[in-house]
Amino acid sequence: DAGITQSPRYKITETGRQVTLMCHQTWSHSYMFWYRQDLGHGLRLIYYSAAADITDKGEVPDGYVVSRSKTENFPLTLESATRSQTSVYFCASSETSLSYEQYFGPGTRLTVT
Amino acid sequence: QQQVKQSPQSLIVQKGGISIINCAYENTAFDYFPWYQQFPGKGPALLIAIRPDVSEKKEGRFTISFNKSAKQFSLHIMDSQPGDSATYFCAASPNSGGSNYKLTFGKGTLLTVNP
């Protein structure tokens, strides 16, 4: 199906482990974004990418790494997970030549124990 | 520094009533102001958006009012329905400086519409 997908949808990991959240979009949108959603904080931008091999930090990048070797994929890696990274993570994409609208994936609920 | 302040945090409205959510911003470089709607277990989805060259935009029961001098904008939901129960986020994006298309979100308002 066309659209934006995230995997896994749910993940439990232990403190100190590395974990990668996957994001895939089928629209060939140039922009992709990673947000985390926490109660009381709304949506906060972690990293974004304007095109393949172009990434930049958002508001809360510490502890996260991203890469974008292909336009359609934008994985987010937690190098050494901490309990403060327990959150719901959303990936989004946008075709900025058409509009500013961002299309969000269904989210990944990550719990760090 | 929170650049977009949203209120209230939660709102309970009776069916048929008017729901009003307010947002204020500080960065005068913002020039695109969308509202996103999020249902439980889903990602946010664009509901309606406005640019500062107009003071109001209406789409069905949803209206954005924009006050550029006060740096405030609000979402009005007329004839609120139980199906409108969701979390609503206001957001803003700048128009230049290499930060185009980056959205800064408010903290969200949980709207409950009672039948």
Side-chain angles (χ1 to χ4, degrees):
Chain A
D1 288 343
I4 184 165
T5 56
Q6 294 183 236
S7 62
R9 294 293 315 279
Y10 303 91
K11 177 73 176 179
I12 300 174
T13 191
E14 295 177 343
T15 299
R17 297 245 186 201
Q18 181 181 81
V19 60
T20 296
L21 310 184
M22 304 301 295
C23 179
H24 175 79
Q25 52 106 353
T26 61
W27 295 305
S28 298
H29 285 172
S30 14
Y31 272 77
M32 295 188 75
F33 308 83
W34 273 106
Y35 296 89
R36 60 177 291 174
Q37 184 174 25
D38 305 287
L39 196 63
H41 290 279
L43 290 154
R44 292 182 291 175
L45 182 64
I46 304 171
Y47 269 96
Y48 70 103
S49 168
D53 298 322
I54 301 175
T55 62
D56 204 352
K57 296 178 181 179
E59 180 185 355
V60 289
D62 293 344
Y64 302 95
V65 174
V66 294
S67 62
R68 194 167 176 207
S69 57
K70 294 184 178 181
T71 300
E72 61 267 28
N73 297 322
F74 191 37
L76 176 74
T77 298
L78 287 67
E79 294 186 297
S80 179
T82 65
R83 289 181 180 172
S84 65
Q85 292 177 310
T86 293
S87 185
V88 180
Y89 291 85
F90 287 99
C91 178
S93 71
S94 176
E95 182 44 68
T96 54
S97 63
L98 298 176
S99 76
Y100 283 51
E101 179 174 0
Q102 293 186 15
Y103 296 85
F104 284 77
T108 294
R109 182 174 294 276
L110 176 68
T111 301
V112 183
T113 62
Chain B
Q1 178 185 6
Q2 184 189 359
Q3 295 193 57
V4 179
K5 295 183 178 180
Q6 183 171 347
S7 62
Q9 283 187 308
S10 62
L11 180 63
I12 299 175
V13 174
Q14 291 300 118
K15 179 182 176 181
I18 302 173
S19 304
I20 301 174
I21 304 171
N22 300 300
C23 283
Y25 63 98
E26 300 164 1
N27 188 345
T28 55
F30 287 151
D31 83 331
Y32 171 71
F33 303 90
W35 285 88
Y36 279 76
Q37 180 187 55
Q38 183 182 29
F39 293 106
K42 304 291 186 182
L46 179 66
L47 182 63
I48 186 172
I50 197 169
R51 292 189 182 274
D53 53 341
V54 296
S55 60
E56 185 176 282
K57 183 174 182 179
K58 183 176 181 179
E59 290 184 1
R61 296 183 294 108
F62 301 91
T63 300
I64 299 179
S65 297
F66 185 80
N67 185 329
K68 188 174 181 179
S69 61
K71 292 186 286 185
Q72 295 176 347
F73 57 110
S74 60
L75 176 69
H76 295 235
I77 306 175
M78 310 301 288
D79 187 26
S80 299
Q81 300 296 312
D84 297 330
S85 297
T87 300
Y88 292 81
F89 293 96
C90 63
S93 179
N95 60 354
S96 64
S99 297
N100 301 42
Y101 321 122
K102 279 173 56 178
L103 292 173
T104 299
F105 284 87
K107 293 187 176 182
T109 296
L110 177 61
L111 171 66
T112 302
V113 181
N114 289 329

